[in-house]
Amino acid sequence: MIIETLLFLMAGFVSAAVALTREPVKQAVVLSFYGLVLSLLFLVLQAPDVALSEIVVGAAVIPLMLFIAITKVERLP
Amino acid sequence: MSRGVRRVLFLCSALITGVLLFTAFTELPPYGTAIGGYAKLIGLAGMPERHVTNITTSVNFDYRGLDTMGEEYILFASIAALALLLRRGSDVTAQQKRAERGHLRWGRDEALAYVGRAWAAFAMLFGIYVVLHGALTPGGGFHGGTIIGSIGFSIFLIFGAKPFRSIQSDERIDIAGAVGAGMYVMVGAAGLIMGGRFLQNILPLGRTGDILSGGTISLINAGVGLEVGSAFTLLASYYLRETHADGKEGST
């Protein structure tokens, strides 16, 4: 019960932090941390399959895709 | 519309939405209520009927196998669309290409490389384990496939572009992904050929707790793992080619 409440609150705070970070590169890093918090939340809510997927997709692939897109956009004339 | 007007408009609509949301939340059932009888039924019937212990996998690949087939083909189609969009362009001048090369270069961290070798091997083993034990433990084809696919990204980040290119060839991974995606439909069609329904579980079910239990579930698991792993590795390869980080030309 305590861990669930804690993780819910953290998810709320970190999602606000993601929205309030203005720099794209920093936002990608905070998004990666948000993916980790979400996957822990899913694990505690007894959905381990979803937690496994969320770790890889939310904490690794999405921020990487963002980085690559930012690099691409910065180099356009 | 000026900035002040926009702000007032946002605050009004946020207030209304907030009040509506709050009244909706107070009328929800309490936290932790089990909803629906189908979940209970599947929990009771999954193991005797299909001899698997991971009920989510049995729902994904057996009871509602058609939906999962659509999901896998979403991934497959999006990677194919990426391959189409990011094909190599030929109208960039040579000087522009030379100027764009060498944009992303970083030194190699020895400690990271040391750990990275061991970690890549362990992650590959762990990914294959999660795929194979889809019917028994949490995980399954899709989850193990994403773990295998993330190894490509990490090898590029730790070791640089050349080692990544030397172990990865687009054509072979394309073929692997297509084989995995086709295996799903083939297993379903085998059900049709044997006189049953599409995606019917026609193989012997085996003993609960074995790796090869669940009949067609293990086979579909392997196919989906292959397809998802290859899709993520191809994603890494296309995007990294886009950023010219490996010196090759991308699409612009």
Side-chain angles (χ1 to χ4, degrees):
Chain A
M1 195 59 208
I2 297 181
I3 294 191
E4 280 167 358
T5 331
L6 203 65
L7 276 173
F8 269 119
L9 284 175
M10 260 185 85
F13 282 135
V14 176
S15 64
V18 169
L20 293 175
T21 313
R22 302 319 299 176
E23 275 258 351
V25 177
K26 290 182 194 165
Q27 202 171 23
V29 176
V30 184
L31 194 66
S32 157
F33 181 61
Y34 181 57
L36 186 67
V37 168
L38 265 190
S39 72
L40 281 177
L41 184 65
F42 293 150
L43 181 69
V44 165
L45 288 175
Q46 297 181 350
D49 297 11
V50 187
L52 272 177
S53 291
E54 173 67 23
I55 286 180
V56 177
V57 168
V61 176
I62 299 275
L64 264 174
M65 280 170 55
L66 273 177
F67 280 138
I68 291 166
I70 291 170
T71 312
K72 197 69 189 161
V73 165
E74 274 173 4
R75 211 186 301 131
L76 285 175
Chain B
M1 206 183 280
S2 76
R3 201 183 159 127
V5 174
R6 264 187 298 178
R7 195 173 291 174
V8 166
L9 197 62
F10 165 70
L11 280 176
C12 288
S13 49
L15 194 67
I16 296 177
T17 315
V19 165
L20 286 174
L21 265 181
F22 190 70
T23 39
F25 281 157
T26 49
E27 296 195 10
L28 285 174
Y31 177 71
T33 319
I35 40 176
Y38 187 65
K40 279 207 188 82
L41 269 179
I42 286 288
L44 289 172
M47 204 180 101
E49 282 188 15
R50 294 284 180 259
H51 297 198
V52 294
T53 47
N54 187 3
I55 306 294
T56 332
T57 300
S58 81
V59 171
N60 266 339
F61 292 114
D62 197 337
Y63 289 113
R64 314 292 320 170
L66 200 60
D67 307 337
T68 313
M69 191 171 84
E71 275 179 30
E72 297 315 315
Y73 286 157
I74 288 177
L75 191 59
F76 190 65
S78 58
I79 297 295
L82 258 186
L84 197 64
L85 286 175
L86 298 180
R87 67 186 181 279
R88 306 215 175 145
S90 55
D91 51 348
V92 183
T93 64
Q95 190 175 16
Q96 219 170 347
K97 282 181 193 167
R98 258 198 309 268
E100 285 172 345
R101 217 169 283 175
H103 181 85
L104 279 182
R105 289 265 181 270
W106 53 84
R108 206 178 96 153
D109 191 354
E110 283 308 316
L112 204 57
Y114 184 68
V115 171
R117 274 196 200 100
W119 184 81
F122 171 71
M124 180 66 97
L125 194 64
F126 186 64
I128 296 178
Y129 155 78
V130 169
V131 169
L132 279 183
H133 284 68
L136 304 174
T137 54
F142 181 75
H143 315 92
T146 54
I147 294 177
I148 294 179
S150 76
I151 296 177
F153 274 111
S154 61
I155 287 188
F156 174 79
L157 284 177
I158 295 178
F159 292 105
K162 223 192 251 295
F164 178 64
R165 284 286 164 216
S166 70
I167 65 167
Q168 185 262 352
S169 85
D170 272 350
E171 295 85 21
R172 289 202 209 121
I173 297 197
D174 262 336
I175 293 176
V179 162
M183 206 190 284
Y184 209 122
V185 182
M186 289 303 171
V187 169
L192 275 179
I193 292 175
M194 299 285 218
R197 298 178 288 276
F198 188 64
L199 283 173
Q200 189 182 6
N201 208 336
I202 48 171
L203 294 178
L205 286 176
R207 202 175 42 179
T208 314
D210 281 352
I211 286 188
L212 290 178
S213 55
T216 50
I217 291 182
S218 328
L219 213 57
I220 296 180
N221 248 336
V224 163
L226 201 60
E227 197 247 325
V228 173
S230 81
F232 273 80
T233 313
L234 278 178
L235 190 75
S237 165
Y238 291 147
Y239 271 114
L240 296 173
R241 199 168 62 196
E242 263 302 296
T243 62
H244 310 276
D246 51 353
K248 295 211 176 109
E249 291 82 34
S251 65
T252 54

